[in-house]
Amino acid sequence: MDTDYRLPATLMRGGTSKGLFIRADALPDDTEQWQSLLLRAIGSPDPYGRQTDGLGNGTTRSSKVVIVSPSRRDDCDVDALFGHVFTDEARIDWSGNCGNLAAAVPLFAVMEKLARPEDGVATIAIWQANVGKRILAELEIFEGQAVWQGDFLIDGVAFPGAPIRLRYLDPAGDCSEMFPTGLLMDKLKLPDGSQVDATLIDAGNPTLFVRARDFGLKGRETAAEIDPAIMRRLEMARAAATVAIGLADDIFAAGREYPATPKISFLSQDGDPDCALHARALSMGKLHPAYPGTDAIALACACATEGTLPAELAGGPVRGMPLTFSHPSGRLTLEAVLGLDSLGWKVDEVVLTRTARPLMRGEVFIPLD
């Protein structure tokens, strides 16, 4: 009698994140079994918060899974489904995308022969199933294999790699306008009776931007330097935004049903003339050590829009040029490419360059309880 399930998988780094990549056809036909298998593979739930008995390492940037399959769409090569695995709960959040791990999807697709591009600079089209958006990944192919070694460095990653150019097409939300409340700047009412200025945007992932100073922060604090009461107030703001954009009926449902969506970042001005502003993000209630890719997409779109809180902190809208901002691990540069429609200008795509590489390939031994 078998006592374990052996799941073929590849551990990959994409941008500043790591995750377990799995072919959809390696999982059981019954999708209801997927969650229990993936939780056990990562090592959740773990009351000690370390995921010692799995492939996670107790951090939100590594407790992730990506399921990849041949695309069902004519305009894409592969479909990708992202899951953010809770550390201490038996839950996986499927509500958003991971912009960093998106860079590893084309590598995995070529490794698994889910895509067979010709040598040279190739474009692999990804359908991001969580948010219903297309991503075009441009990367080098040599002798049928994706090139991942190179000299391109990104802040937050110790070693260089080959650049992978990601074009996030039409990043505005699939079920709402880019600014889902209809306002560029909201007065967000918090459960403690206070109000804060905020920009709520749906691009990349739904994201909330607030000023660091409105929460008593300078904007560059470490996790240990932030009072737990301030962290709770930031979470209250995030929960209030969840209600404001129509995802949840009340703040209690927001925390229970949407713990990772929308994202929240607090912003501050940057003294460096080469950086538009400084940004810090919370990921599942913890400070991110660098900056999430999807939050960066939302920030680029917000900075391109006059009247938003990020554009105000940046000294005006950033258009027709790349946006460079600082974060705890360094800097990030990306660009919102603008176009026109019958209502005026809009964001056609956001272009972001990352690196990625495979770390290990094999089988995950999953005990059958």
Side-chain angles (χ1 to χ4, degrees):
M1 180 178 177
D2 290 335
T3 59
D4 58 62
Y5 186 96
R6 301 185 183 191
L7 178 64
T10 302
L11 187 65
M12 304 195 74
R13 177 187 64 79
T16 55
S17 291
K18 289 192 292 187
L20 198 61
F21 279 66
I22 304 153
R23 290 176 61 120
D25 57 12
L27 289 162
D29 293 336
D30 182 1
T31 56
E32 292 186 1
Q33 298 179 36
W34 289 13
Q35 180 142 315
S36 60
L37 288 172
L38 296 173
L39 284 167
R40 198 68 171 88
I42 295 295
S44 292
D46 183 351
Y48 304 101
R50 303 187 188 99
Q51 297 171 321
T52 306
D53 200 34
L55 293 177
N57 65 5
T59 65
T60 60
R61 64 188 181 277
S62 297
S63 190
K64 300 178 177 184
V65 295
V66 181
I67 300 168
V68 184
S69 61
S71 185
R72 299 178 182 179
R73 297 171 57 94
D74 294 336
D75 59 354
C76 289
D77 297 299
V78 292
D79 294 343
L81 181 68
F82 167 70
H84 207 158
V85 182
F86 281 67
T87 302
D88 55 356
E89 296 182 47
R91 297 174 63 186
I92 301 178
D93 191 306
W94 303 98
S95 63
N97 180 28
C98 177
N100 276 299
L101 284 188
V105 172
L107 297 187
F108 183 76
V110 175
M111 288 173 62
E112 293 292 322
K113 296 182 170 49
L114 298 171
R116 299 173 184 266
E118 296 182 357
D119 283 6
V121 177
T123 299
I124 295 177
I126 304 162
W127 178 249
Q128 213 301 314
N130 301 78
V131 296
K133 292 292 179 180
R134 291 177 70 221
I135 304 170
L136 301 184
E138 299 172 357
L139 69 163
E140 183 76 22
I141 304 295
F142 180 71
E143 294 184 351
Q145 298 297 315
V147 176
W148 52 265
Q149 297 186 70
D151 57 6
F152 186 79
L153 276 167
I154 61 173
D155 289 339
V157 178
F159 301 102
I164 299 173
R165 188 169 181 258
L166 300 171
R167 297 170 54 203
Y168 293 84
L169 305 183
D170 186 22
D174 62 317
C175 58
S176 68
E177 298 296 326
M178 183 171 286
F179 298 95
T181 67
L183 299 174
L184 301 178
M185 185 98 76
D186 280 271
K187 282 284 187 184
L188 202 59
K189 295 181 180 179
L190 275 57
D192 63 3
S194 64
Q195 290 186 342
V196 293
D197 291 335
T199 288
L200 282 61
I201 186 169
D202 190 357
N205 275 325
T207 305
L208 162 68
F209 293 110
V210 295
R211 297 187 192 92
R213 69 170 184 264
D214 290 345
F215 289 81
L217 298 171
K218 293 181 179 179
R220 294 175 182 267
E221 291 84 353
T222 65
E225 293 171 334
I226 300 180
D227 190 292
I230 294 177
M231 293 294 285
R232 288 193 294 271
R233 190 161 178 257
L234 285 164
E235 173 56 25
M236 283 195 297
R238 196 199 65 80
T242 311
V243 177
I245 64 177
L247 281 177
D249 293 331
D250 54 58
I251 60 169
F252 304 104
R256 183 176 63 253
E257 299 171 12
Y258 295 94
T261 305
K263 309 296 183 183
I264 179 170
S265 288
F266 55 88
L267 310 177
S268 57
Q269 292 179 327
D270 197 304
D272 188 336
D274 294 328
C275 291
L277 43 74
H278 184 79
R280 296 226 58 176
L282 270 64
S283 177
M284 312 252 319
K286 298 178 181 179
L287 284 176
H288 196 284
Y291 202 74
T294 50
D295 295 44
I297 293 166
L299 183 59
C301 292
C303 281
T305 309
E306 187 172 5
T308 66
L309 186 149
E312 174 194 280
L313 287 173
V318 181
R319 298 175 181 168
M321 67 182 73
L323 166 73
T324 297
F325 66 94
S326 61
H327 56 74
S329 294
R331 298 180 180 180
L332 197 155
T333 298
L334 72 169
E335 184 173 0
V337 180
L338 307 184
L340 291 172
D341 62 15
S342 58
L343 299 177
W345 74 268
K346 64 184 182 67
V347 179
D348 283 341
E349 61 183 78
V350 174
V351 182
L352 171 66
T353 302
R354 303 269 82 188
T355 63
R357 80 174 184 95
L359 299 173
M360 189 174 67
R361 194 183 200 181
E363 292 180 328
V364 186
F365 289 78
I366 304 173
L368 295 176
D369 298 327

